[in-house]
Amino acid sequence: MTKSEPAGGTTTGSGDIARSLDLLWGTGERPSRGPKPGLTLDRIVATAVGVADAEGLDALSMRRLATELGTGTMTLYRYVPGKAELLDLMLDRVQGEPLTTDASEVPEDWRSAVEGMAHTYRATLRAHPWLLKINQARTVLGPSALRGLELALTGLRGTGLAGPELIGVIITVNSFVEGLARTENHAVEAVRETGLSDAAFWEGQHPYLERAMLSGDYPHMASLPENAFASGFDHFAFGLGRIIDGLDALVRQRAEQ
Protein backbone atom coordinates (compact mmCIF):
# COMPACT_ATOMS: atom_id res chain seq x y z
CA MET A 1 0.00 0.00 0.00
CA THR A 2 1.44 3.35 -0.99
CA LYS A 3 0.75 6.83 0.26
CA SER A 4 -1.58 9.03 -1.74
CA GLU A 5 -0.57 12.56 -2.66
CA PRO A 6 -2.86 15.58 -2.26
CA ALA A 7 -4.48 16.74 -5.47
CA GLY A 8 -2.67 19.63 -7.08
CA GLY A 9 0.09 19.86 -4.52
CA THR A 10 0.67 23.55 -5.26
CA THR A 11 -0.39 25.21 -2.01
CA THR A 12 2.26 25.79 0.63
CA GLY A 13 1.31 24.88 4.17
CA SER A 14 -1.20 22.29 2.94
CA GLY A 15 0.60 19.33 4.44
CA ASP A 16 1.70 18.41 7.97
CA ILE A 17 2.84 21.84 9.15
CA ALA A 18 4.65 20.51 12.21
CA ARG A 19 6.58 18.02 10.08
CA SER A 20 7.49 20.69 7.53
CA LEU A 21 8.77 22.96 10.30
CA ASP A 22 10.77 20.12 11.84
CA LEU A 23 12.43 19.46 8.49
CA LEU A 24 13.00 23.14 7.69
CA TRP A 25 14.57 23.92 11.04
CA GLY A 26 16.54 20.69 11.32
CA THR A 27 14.69 19.36 14.35
CA GLY A 28 13.23 16.30 12.68
CA GLU A 29 14.66 12.86 13.42
CA ARG A 30 16.89 11.26 10.80
CA PRO A 31 15.40 8.09 9.26
CA SER A 32 16.61 5.18 11.35
CA ARG A 33 16.20 2.36 8.89
CA GLY A 34 16.44 1.67 5.23
CA PRO A 35 17.89 4.85 3.70
CA LYS A 36 19.94 4.55 0.59
CA PRO A 37 23.56 5.47 1.28
CA GLY A 38 24.23 9.03 0.20
CA LEU A 39 20.56 10.02 0.27
CA THR A 40 20.08 13.22 2.26
CA LEU A 41 17.28 15.71 2.68
CA ASP A 42 19.38 18.35 0.95
CA ARG A 43 19.89 16.10 -2.08
CA ILE A 44 16.19 15.24 -2.19
CA VAL A 45 15.13 18.89 -2.21
CA ALA A 46 17.82 19.90 -4.72
CA THR A 47 16.70 17.14 -7.09
CA ALA A 48 13.05 18.11 -6.71
CA VAL A 49 13.90 21.72 -7.56
CA GLY A 50 15.83 20.52 -10.60
CA VAL A 51 12.86 18.54 -11.92
CA ALA A 52 10.50 21.48 -11.37
CA ASP A 53 12.92 23.89 -13.06
CA ALA A 54 13.25 21.66 -16.11
CA GLU A 55 9.70 20.35 -16.51
CA GLY A 56 7.38 22.24 -14.16
CA LEU A 57 5.59 21.20 -11.00
CA ASP A 58 3.17 18.91 -12.82
CA ALA A 59 6.10 16.63 -13.67
CA LEU A 60 7.11 16.31 -10.02
CA SER A 61 5.75 13.47 -7.94
CA MET A 62 7.20 11.39 -5.14
CA ARG A 63 7.46 8.45 -7.54
CA ARG A 64 9.27 10.54 -10.16
CA LEU A 65 11.57 11.98 -7.52
CA ALA A 66 12.41 8.53 -6.22
CA THR A 67 13.29 7.44 -9.75
CA GLU A 68 15.56 10.46 -10.23
CA LEU A 69 17.31 9.64 -6.95
CA GLY A 70 17.61 5.94 -7.76
CA THR A 71 15.72 4.82 -4.68
CA GLY A 72 12.34 3.39 -3.73
CA THR A 73 9.32 5.61 -3.16
CA MET A 74 8.77 4.23 0.34
CA THR A 75 12.39 5.02 1.22
CA LEU A 76 11.76 8.60 0.12
CA TYR A 77 8.77 8.82 2.46
CA ARG A 78 11.10 8.14 5.39
CA TYR A 79 12.66 11.52 4.69
CA VAL A 80 9.68 13.57 3.49
CA PRO A 81 6.03 12.76 4.33
CA GLY A 82 4.69 13.81 0.93
CA LYS A 83 4.63 16.30 -1.91
CA ALA A 84 2.96 19.02 0.16
CA GLU A 85 5.78 19.04 2.70
CA LEU A 86 8.34 18.72 -0.10
CA LEU A 87 6.92 21.89 -1.64
CA ASP A 88 7.51 23.76 1.63
CA LEU A 89 11.15 22.65 1.57
CA MET A 90 11.61 23.54 -2.09
CA LEU A 91 10.20 27.01 -1.58
CA ASP A 92 12.49 27.75 1.34
CA ARG A 93 15.48 26.47 -0.61
CA VAL A 94 15.01 28.72 -3.64
CA GLN A 95 14.17 31.68 -1.42
CA GLY A 96 17.53 31.25 0.23
CA GLU A 97 19.62 31.11 -2.96
CA PRO A 98 20.11 34.88 -3.44
CA LEU A 99 20.32 35.85 0.24
CA THR A 100 23.45 37.33 1.73
CA THR A 101 24.54 36.12 5.12
CA ASP A 102 25.84 39.54 6.11
CA ALA A 103 23.26 42.22 6.90
CA SER A 104 25.98 44.86 6.49
CA GLU A 105 25.83 44.20 2.72
CA VAL A 106 22.27 45.55 2.59
CA PRO A 107 22.25 49.11 1.12
CA GLU A 108 21.74 51.87 3.66
CA ASP A 109 19.66 53.83 1.15
CA TRP A 110 16.16 52.33 1.23
CA ARG A 111 15.58 53.19 -2.45
CA SER A 112 18.55 51.05 -3.48
CA ALA A 113 17.31 48.33 -1.14
CA VAL A 114 13.87 48.32 -2.77
CA GLU A 115 15.46 48.15 -6.23
CA GLY A 116 17.65 45.27 -5.11
CA MET A 117 14.66 43.49 -3.58
CA ALA A 118 12.71 43.74 -6.83
CA HIS A 119 15.55 42.70 -9.13
CA THR A 120 16.49 39.78 -6.88
CA TYR A 121 12.94 38.46 -6.76
CA ARG A 122 12.60 38.86 -10.52
CA ALA A 123 15.77 36.82 -11.05
CA THR A 124 14.49 34.11 -8.72
CA LEU A 125 11.17 33.86 -10.58
CA ARG A 126 12.98 33.63 -13.91
CA ALA A 127 15.26 30.90 -12.59
CA HIS A 128 12.33 28.99 -11.08
CA PRO A 129 9.17 29.82 -13.12
CA TRP A 130 7.21 27.13 -11.28
CA LEU A 131 7.09 29.52 -8.29
CA LEU A 132 4.38 31.45 -10.16
CA LYS A 133 2.15 28.35 -10.02
CA ILE A 134 2.26 28.14 -6.23
CA ASN A 135 -0.32 29.49 -3.80
CA GLN A 136 1.86 31.05 -1.12
CA ALA A 137 -0.95 32.62 0.90
CA ARG A 138 -0.04 30.38 3.86
CA THR A 139 3.70 29.94 3.58
CA VAL A 140 5.43 27.84 6.21
CA LEU A 141 8.20 30.11 7.48
CA GLY A 142 11.56 28.39 7.37
CA PRO A 143 15.06 29.82 7.88
CA SER A 144 15.32 31.30 4.37
CA ALA A 145 11.89 32.93 4.49
CA LEU A 146 12.64 34.56 7.82
CA ARG A 147 16.13 35.56 6.69
CA GLY A 148 14.66 37.17 3.59
CA LEU A 149 12.18 39.16 5.65
CA GLU A 150 14.91 40.23 8.05
CA LEU A 151 17.11 41.51 5.21
CA ALA A 152 14.18 43.28 3.54
CA LEU A 153 13.30 45.03 6.80
CA THR A 154 16.97 45.92 7.28
CA GLY A 155 16.93 47.64 3.90
CA LEU A 156 13.82 49.62 4.83
CA ARG A 157 15.15 50.75 8.21
CA GLY A 158 15.69 54.30 7.02
CA THR A 159 12.12 54.92 5.87
CA GLY A 160 10.65 55.70 9.28
CA LEU A 161 7.51 53.77 8.35
CA ALA A 162 5.44 51.79 10.84
CA GLY A 163 5.50 47.99 11.06
CA PRO A 164 2.39 47.26 8.96
CA GLU A 165 3.58 49.79 6.39
CA LEU A 166 6.96 48.09 6.10
CA ILE A 167 5.27 44.76 5.43
CA GLY A 168 3.03 46.59 2.96
CA VAL A 169 6.09 47.82 1.07
CA ILE A 170 7.42 44.27 0.75
CA ILE A 171 4.04 42.93 -0.40
CA THR A 172 3.61 45.78 -2.89
CA VAL A 173 7.04 45.26 -4.46
CA ASN A 174 6.70 41.48 -4.59
CA SER A 175 3.19 41.69 -6.07
CA PHE A 176 4.40 44.05 -8.80
CA VAL A 177 7.32 41.76 -9.67
CA GLU A 178 5.10 38.67 -9.69
CA GLY A 179 2.54 40.36 -11.92
CA LEU A 180 5.06 41.26 -14.63
CA ALA A 181 6.85 37.92 -14.29
CA ARG A 182 3.54 36.09 -14.74
CA THR A 183 2.79 38.13 -17.88
CA GLU A 184 6.23 37.33 -19.29
CA ASN A 185 5.79 33.66 -18.46
CA HIS A 186 2.36 33.55 -20.10
CA ALA A 187 3.83 35.08 -23.26
CA VAL A 188 6.47 32.35 -23.42
CA GLU A 189 3.86 29.65 -22.82
CA ALA A 190 1.59 31.08 -25.54
CA VAL A 191 4.37 30.86 -28.13
CA ARG A 192 5.27 27.34 -27.05
CA GLU A 193 1.68 26.08 -27.08
CA THR A 194 0.59 27.70 -30.35
CA GLY A 195 3.83 27.83 -32.31
CA LEU A 196 2.87 31.39 -33.28
CA SER A 197 5.28 34.23 -32.52
CA ASP A 198 4.07 37.45 -30.89
CA ALA A 199 4.81 39.35 -34.09
CA ALA A 200 2.74 36.94 -36.19
CA PHE A 201 -0.10 36.99 -33.66
CA TRP A 202 -0.46 40.77 -33.71
CA GLU A 203 0.11 41.01 -37.45
CA GLY A 204 -2.93 38.79 -37.96
CA GLN A 205 -5.07 41.31 -36.07
CA HIS A 206 -3.68 44.37 -37.82
CA PRO A 207 -6.33 44.74 -40.59
CA TYR A 208 -9.18 44.55 -38.07
CA LEU A 209 -7.55 46.94 -35.63
CA GLU A 210 -6.77 49.38 -38.42
CA ARG A 211 -10.43 49.51 -39.47
CA ALA A 212 -11.45 49.96 -35.84
CA MET A 213 -9.10 52.93 -35.41
CA LEU A 214 -10.44 54.57 -38.61
CA SER A 215 -14.02 54.19 -37.41
CA GLY A 216 -13.72 57.08 -34.98
CA ASP A 217 -15.09 54.96 -32.13
CA TYR A 218 -11.74 54.77 -30.35
CA PRO A 219 -10.27 58.29 -30.50
CA HIS A 220 -7.85 57.91 -27.60
CA MET A 221 -6.52 54.61 -28.88
CA ALA A 222 -6.20 56.03 -32.39
CA SER A 223 -4.22 59.01 -31.10
CA LEU A 224 -1.49 56.82 -29.66
CA PRO A 225 1.80 56.76 -31.58
CA GLU A 226 2.73 53.55 -33.36
CA ASN A 227 5.42 52.78 -30.80
CA ALA A 228 3.02 52.99 -27.83
CA PHE A 229 2.99 49.20 -27.54
CA ALA A 230 6.65 48.75 -28.47
CA SER A 231 8.06 45.57 -26.97
CA GLY A 232 11.30 47.37 -26.15
CA PHE A 233 9.72 49.57 -23.52
CA ASP A 234 11.00 48.64 -20.05
CA HIS A 235 7.77 48.20 -18.10
CA PHE A 236 9.67 46.76 -15.16
CA ALA A 237 11.89 49.83 -14.72
CA PHE A 238 8.96 52.17 -15.31
CA GLY A 239 6.68 50.51 -12.76
CA LEU A 240 9.38 50.05 -10.15
CA GLY A 241 10.37 53.68 -10.51
CA ARG A 242 6.79 54.82 -9.88
CA ILE A 243 6.52 52.59 -6.81
CA ILE A 244 9.71 54.10 -5.39
CA ASP A 245 8.47 57.62 -6.20
CA GLY A 246 5.26 56.93 -4.32
CA LEU A 247 7.11 55.51 -1.33
CA ASP A 248 9.45 58.48 -1.35
CA ALA A 249 6.48 60.83 -1.05
CA LEU A 250 5.17 58.81 1.91
CA VAL A 251 8.59 58.72 3.62
CA ARG A 252 8.89 62.51 3.26
CA GLN A 253 5.41 62.95 4.65
CA ARG A 254 6.26 60.82 7.69
CA ALA A 255 9.45 62.81 8.25
CA GLU A 256 7.50 66.07 8.35
CA GLN A 257 5.03 64.86 10.97
Side-chain angles (χ1 to χ4, degrees), residues 15 48 89 253:
L89 302 179
Q253 183 184 67

Side-chain angles (χ1 to χ4, degrees), residues 81-102:
K83 187 175 178 179
E85 294 81 6
L86 177 64
L87 186 62
D88 292 335
L89 302 179
M90 292 168 62
L91 182 61
D92 199 70
R93 182 184 184 90
V94 299
Q95 286 177 330
E97 288 175 353
L99 299 182
T100 175
T101 58
D102 188 353

